[in-house]
Amino acid sequence: MEPNVRFWITERQEKIEKSRQLLLTNEDASRGDLEDKRIQEAWKRSLSTVHPDNSKLIPGPFRPAALLPFTAPMVFLSVLPVKNLKSMILPQVSFYTYSTVFSIVNGNASYNRRPYESILLGAGVITSSTFFGLLPRLLQVKFSLSSILSRNVFPVVMLAQLSGMNVIASRSLEPMRGIEVMDKEGNVIGYSRKAGTKAVKDTATSRVVLFGTSAFIPEIFSYFFKRSQFFLRYPWSLWSLKFSCTVLVMGLMVPVSFSIFPQIGRIQCSELEKEIQSATEETELFYNRGV
């Protein structure tokens, strides 16, 4: 590694660590003192650039802030009417590849996993998600289906459902091996498979809401726009307006989907495994849900 690159990484990590220390030393950083610009900056940097489980830098393209610019064009292209196989493969592969890597990178990382496990899991999830994403399009081309349900509604429903299933498959190791659960002081009580299941389920639900809404509303908009005089005069305007609508809706839905469930999830101790219940007297425990 070049000296300049190493220096930049070290400097970046030091800034993030200082930000975290600023948060930790200020008891009211999450509430009363959010008007303090230093606290605001520290909060944003800690949440958006560092993984909460291992304190490692999240790669820029897979940070939560990058979800909109990367996936909005993919969602738009994924639901466009297609005429041949070649025009539908690239959008589907791109979308599910990005979604899979995003879910793995931003998932809970408190359990032990080897790099090759993530690679093999990701490759399998990308392949299966792409296949099921292409399936309705293949049927549409083969049987020349032209109804509104087959052309507009069914692809959107499949996109929403597969987005949720993609999260469940990408993070399937969490319910299998369990994730860290902590008390209110941050002390790790143990590893819970039930908490892992809840974390993945909640994240999958938020992803269904995000991509389902972002794909469905532009389709409704297009349905009525095609019946307007403006479309009859300028038919080429449909795609630019539909893309703008997709970006706008996703821009509104990304923060909504991220806030449906809190980043730090809560679960009643009585719902967890018996060994965890016997290890603490707390009635409520906490875990990192992931994004």
Side-chain angles (χ1 to χ4, degrees):
M1 184 181 296
E2 294 293 333
N4 291 338
V5 176
R6 187 184 296 111
F7 173 77
W8 181 87
I9 294 176
T10 303
E11 184 181 31
R12 182 70 172 169
Q13 290 176 335
E14 288 178 355
K15 286 183 179 180
I16 293 169
E17 186 60 31
K18 288 180 180 179
S19 299
R20 288 196 157 190
Q21 290 300 322
L22 180 59
L23 291 172
L24 291 172
T25 54
N26 192 311
E27 296 180 355
D28 299 322
S30 61
R31 296 182 179 180
D33 290 341
L34 281 177
E35 295 180 358
D36 188 322
K37 290 184 178 180
R38 291 194 308 148
I39 299 298
Q40 287 182 343
E41 182 63 26
W43 185 262
K44 291 177 181 178
R45 181 179 289 134
S46 180
L47 288 179
S48 63
T49 62
V50 177
H51 198 289
D53 290 323
N54 52 27
S55 299
K56 293 182 179 179
L57 283 174
I58 300 173
F62 302 105
R63 292 174 185 173
L67 185 65
L68 173 62
F70 274 93
T71 58
M74 300 177 192
V75 171
F76 168 73
L77 294 173
S78 295
V79 296
L80 284 179
V82 294
K83 296 181 179 180
N84 54 66
L85 182 61
K86 293 181 180 179
S87 63
M88 70 177 85
I89 291 179
L90 183 59
Q92 297 290 334
V93 172
S94 301
F95 177 71
Y96 290 113
T97 298
Y98 182 86
S99 298
T100 300
V101 178
F102 183 90
S103 296
I104 293 175
V105 170
N106 290 279
N108 190 291
S110 61
Y111 62 96
N112 292 325
R113 66 181 178 189
R114 297 176 177 84
Y116 74 86
E117 291 179 317
S118 298
I119 295 173
L120 293 176
L121 176 63
V125 173
I126 292 169
T127 302
S128 58
S129 298
T130 302
F131 171 77
F132 287 110
L134 288 172
L135 187 59
R137 297 301 193 178
L138 292 171
L139 295 176
Q140 179 183 342
V141 172
K142 183 175 181 179
F143 297 105
S144 300
L145 302 176
S146 58
S147 65
I148 294 178
L149 286 176
S150 62
R151 287 188 298 105
N152 303 99
V153 178
F154 192 52
V156 171
V157 173
M158 287 295 293
L159 177 69
Q161 293 299 318
L162 286 174
S163 297
M165 294 302 296
N166 181 273
V167 174
I168 294 174
S170 301
R171 297 175 54 179
S172 58
L173 293 178
E174 295 175 33
M176 293 172 58
R177 298 182 180 177
I179 61 175
E180 286 183 353
V181 288
M182 302 162 285
D183 59 20
K184 59 185 177 181
E185 302 297 331
N187 301 313
V188 177
I189 306 301
Y191 290 82
S192 171
R193 292 183 295 276
K194 293 184 178 180
T197 300
K198 187 174 187 298
V200 174
K201 181 181 177 181
D202 290 347
T203 305
T205 301
S206 68
R207 203 78 91 243
V208 170
V209 172
L210 169 61
F211 291 120
T213 305
S214 300
F216 186 63
I217 291 181
E219 290 297 329
I220 296 177
F221 168 80
S222 301
Y223 177 80
F224 290 103
F225 181 73
K226 289 178 181 178
R227 285 154 179 76
S228 67
Q229 292 296 324
F230 188 85
F231 172 73
L232 295 177
R233 293 181 60 186
Y234 307 102
W236 50 266
S237 64
L238 174 64
W239 306 120
S240 59
L241 290 175
K242 187 175 181 180
F243 177 72
S244 300
C245 183
T246 302
V247 174
L248 176 61
V249 174
M250 277 203 69
L252 296 174
M253 286 305 302
V254 166
V256 171
S257 68
F258 285 170
S259 60
I260 292 177
F261 302 100
Q263 181 71 31
I264 303 299
R266 301 185 178 194
I267 189 169
Q268 295 299 313
C269 190
S270 59
E271 299 177 12
L272 300 177
E273 293 83 350
K274 291 183 179 180
E275 57 267 24
I276 294 180
Q277 295 182 33
S278 61
T280 180
E281 297 180 354
E282 297 285 341
T283 58
E284 187 178 54
L285 296 178
F286 304 85
Y287 60 90
N288 171 37
R289 177 178 65 84
V291 178

